[in-house]
Amino acid sequence: MKFFIDTANIDEIKEANSMGMVDGVTTNPTLIAKEDGKFEDIIKQICEIVDGPISAEVISLVADGMVAEARKLAGIHKNIAVKIPMTIDGLKAVRTLSSEGIKTNVTLVFSPLQALMAAKAGATFVSPFVGRLDDLSQDGLILVEQIVEIYNNYAFDTEIIVASVRNPLHVLESAMMGADIATIPFNVLKKLAAHPMTDKGIQSFLDDWKKAKK
Ligand code: E4P
């Protein structure tokens, strides 16, 4: 399973990358707004740090506008995957961009049929938002399971990025279902590495080492 990091924060990206945990990066307008720099400068910086797909989102709501924004973003670096919202216009844009060889990440996916349509339009990635479904008391991981099954049934090349990840169980269950990628916030990534028995074991080894003959 590939791990993307779901942040536009350069320090977080650098630290996660130094752990070997960054196969790609996803950003969105909310994550960009939390940082100091300008959108394009932040994206350029991320591209210099990480050698993998970097998602940058368009703002336009009409197909022509999305395509124009996407071409500009794709010009920044070969690794840019343009995030396109899952709408009718979004599908039209994805179809055009796919024919031009521009990578796309269809975002704000909340149903398996939306994911099927995104794949048919030629999306490189599709992003089901599990946490936001959980927030509505609908199990977001069921959506991931459905998309994995549909994509396997028809051998689509579109890769599934499990997005809106809120806790380690989202990552574990997605990995067991065979989702291609989880895009993980930095705080959740750190939780994946942690276990109280590891901490306890380290402490007891350190205590015993003090008593050992050296
Ligand atoms: C990533 O591609 C998504 O934009 C992100 O995971 C959304 O997460 P949120 O639901 O926590 O805002």
Side-chain angles (χ1 to χ4, degrees):
M1 184 188 223
K2 283 174 271 189
F3 281 4
F4 287 6
I5 186 155
D6 195 24
T7 183
N9 182 281
I10 298 299
D11 292 337
E12 290 182 351
I13 292 168
K14 281 184 178 165
E15 191 175 347
N17 198 37
S18 70
M19 293 184 238
M21 292 298 130
V22 181
D23 300 306
V25 180
T26 52
T27 68
N28 63 35
T30 306
L31 294 172
I32 294 287
K34 287 182 187 164
E35 306 306 319
D36 276 340
K38 288 185 186 159
F39 175 42
E40 279 201 27
D41 294 339
I42 295 172
I43 295 296
K44 276 181 195 161
Q45 253 187 296
I46 297 173
C47 289
E48 280 166 20
I49 300 164
V50 175
D51 185 19
I54 313 297
S55 287
E57 190 155 343
V58 299
I59 297 304
S60 178
L61 298 179
V62 293
D64 286 352
M66 290 177 192
V67 168
E69 276 185 66
R71 286 178 182 146
K72 198 168 163 230
L73 287 170
I76 294 176
H77 195 278
K78 65 177 173 47
N79 285 344
I80 295 291
V82 183
K83 257 184 157 181
I84 306 277
M86 175 56 224
T87 59
I88 300 277
D89 273 75
L91 291 173
K92 291 177 190 170
V94 167
R95 183 168 186 230
T96 302
L97 295 168
S98 153
S99 73
E100 293 177 13
I102 293 177
K103 288 186 273 300
T104 53
N105 173 1
V106 174
T107 188
L108 292 163
V109 166
F110 292 94
S111 88
L113 291 173
Q114 288 182 320
L116 176 57
M117 293 177 90
K120 285 178 69 64
T124 318
F125 303 102
V126 67
S127 289
F129 276 38
V130 295
R132 293 193 195 187
L133 281 173
D134 287 357
D135 291 344
L136 302 176
S137 68
Q138 191 179 330
D139 188 343
L141 287 166
I142 292 175
L143 172 60
V144 176
E145 195 172 28
Q146 289 170 321
I147 302 172
V148 168
E149 186 171 339
I150 291 168
Y151 283 12
N152 284 343
N153 285 347
Y154 299 101
F156 282 114
D157 290 333
T158 305
E159 289 189 86
I160 303 167
I161 304 178
V162 178
S164 190
V165 164
R166 302 271 164 81
N167 57 59
L169 267 184
H170 280 153
V171 181
L172 173 63
E173 297 285 341
S174 299
M176 290 173 70
M177 287 168 190
D180 305 282
I181 302 150
T183 189
I184 308 172
F186 188 60
N187 69 318
V188 177
L189 187 71
K190 284 191 288 186
K191 286 184 191 168
L192 302 188
H195 198 290
M197 289 302 288
T198 306
D199 297 340
K200 195 175 168 208
I202 290 170
Q203 191 54 54
S204 99
F205 284 150
L206 288 177
D207 291 345
D208 290 343
W209 185 243
K210 285 181 198 151
K211 298 173 213 153
K213 293 172 198 71
K214 288 166 247 155

